[in-house]
Amino acid sequence: MLPWKRLLRPLTALLLAAAAATVPASAAQAAAPSSGWNDYSCKPSAAHPRPVVLVHGTLGNSIDNWLSLAPYLEDRGYCVYSLDYGQLPGVPLFYGLGPIDRSAEQLSAFVDKVLTATGAAKADLVGHSQGGMMPRYYLRFLGGAAKVNALVGLAPDNHGATLSGLTNLLPFFPGAEDLISAATPGLADQIPGSAFLTKLNAGGDTVPGVHYTVIATKYDEVATPWRSQYLSGSDVDNILLQDLCPLDLSEHVAIGLFDRIAFHEVANALDPARATPTTCASALS
């Protein structure tokens, strides 16, 4: 039988492989800046007075995660921006791996940059996976609540990601969590019960003044169990994609990358005064 120390690397590799499976294949090719969004000359309209900041997920980046949603929102008249965060030294293109509290600091600086460029008083945030959860640290601890109107999370791991129960194996490998924390602190921060998540969720899920929307899919295989994505609070909409369209089979990746039914609900959350019913037909809208 192998000594337990020799099992740490395979387990870590397994966790990384499971996370990497959520990254679109084109990520390795995302070397060019995005086109069409991140236009700092864009001025919000009276109809859509707030810029939208898109926050990618773990192992994602500012381009690949938003190849579908950014144009979708642009076509509807929004000024749209996206950032890269959570970079590790020597790891190109695959981001969201650094300590999440530091990633939230990067988000804070980026929102300030967008607000300065657009002249808007507040922004709206839309995030996928870690990108739907990490901004809550910014809102609670870094003064973001004064600068953000709404946070929309697509499959956000608000209370951790078990990777379909894979992280439940960690206690059987002493030292494994320490190894993951040292190598990829952003992954360790998302393990249920981590010090980061404990701090984030202590005292309630939300802060006053921000409207929260969670859009989940019951076929999620990363932010599991999927109900753990939901938030509690007085200004929260928790939405299950299959309640809108029972035929929608999107899992953790698809809900953020190309699901236009989910995108329609994002648009509703950003502009509730003009919201229209989201149905299976929204896939064609």
Side-chain angles (χ1 to χ4, degrees):
M1 182 175 182
L2 292 173
W4 65 265
K5 288 185 178 180
R6 292 180 61 186
L7 296 177
L8 295 184
R9 289 189 180 277
L11 180 62
T12 304
L14 186 60
L15 288 168
L16 286 170
T22 71
V23 183
S26 59
Q29 302 173 1
S34 60
S35 59
W37 71 96
N38 281 341
D39 176 3
Y40 287 91
S41 67
C42 185
K43 297 300 179 184
S45 65
H48 301 303
R50 293 177 300 274
V52 178
V53 174
L54 304 178
V55 191
H56 66 74
T58 304
L59 291 170
N61 60 58
S62 61
I63 301 172
D64 278 7
N65 218 139
W66 307 120
L67 289 172
S68 295
L69 181 57
Y72 181 95
L73 294 175
E74 276 196 302
D75 289 346
R76 285 153 180 78
Y78 289 92
C79 293
V80 182
Y81 304 85
S82 62
L83 77 156
D84 290 316
Y85 70 87
Q87 301 91 332
L88 291 180
V91 182
L93 302 177
F94 297 95
Y95 303 138
L97 295 172
I100 297 181
D101 56 352
R102 296 181 190 174
S103 294
E105 293 174 1
Q106 292 179 274
L107 174 61
S108 176
F110 189 81
V111 171
D112 285 348
K113 178 181 177 181
V114 168
L115 293 181
T116 298
T118 60
K122 290 188 175 184
D124 289 325
L125 308 180
V126 179
H128 180 213
S129 191
Q130 180 189 162
M133 173 270 289
M134 175 269 280
R136 293 177 49 226
Y137 190 95
Y138 162 56
L139 299 177
R140 180 177 292 277
F141 298 110
L142 302 178
K147 303 173 184 179
V148 172
N149 169 72
L151 170 60
V152 184
L154 290 159
D157 55 340
N158 282 314
H159 299 95
T162 70
L163 298 173
S164 297
L166 186 59
T167 59
N168 296 332
L169 299 175
L170 289 173
F172 295 100
F173 300 93
E177 196 162 342
D178 291 339
L179 179 62
I180 296 169
S181 181
T184 53
L187 291 183
D189 284 346
Q190 295 176 77
I191 296 173
S194 70
F196 173 82
L197 287 172
T198 299
K199 178 180 179 180
L200 176 64
N201 293 312
D205 291 342
T206 64
V207 295
V210 179
H211 177 68
Y212 297 79
T213 301
V214 173
I215 305 172
T217 170
K218 67 180 182 180
Y219 300 112
D220 202 303
E221 74 280 29
V222 176
T224 50
W226 64 263
R227 288 181 179 83
S228 68
Q229 300 172 26
Y230 283 180
L231 295 172
S232 297
S234 59
D235 198 0
V236 174
D237 286 329
N238 292 311
I239 299 163
L240 181 64
L241 197 56
Q242 285 72 34
D243 286 342
L244 306 175
C245 176
L247 301 178
D248 196 316
L249 302 179
S250 289
E251 40 65 73
H252 188 80
V253 178
I255 192 174
L257 265 60
F258 52 76
D259 191 316
R260 292 177 70 90
I261 297 171
F263 293 176
H264 187 271
E265 198 60 21
V266 169
N268 281 347
L270 295 175
D271 191 1
R274 297 178 178 86
T276 58
T278 301
T279 67
C280 295
S282 300
L284 305 176
S285 64

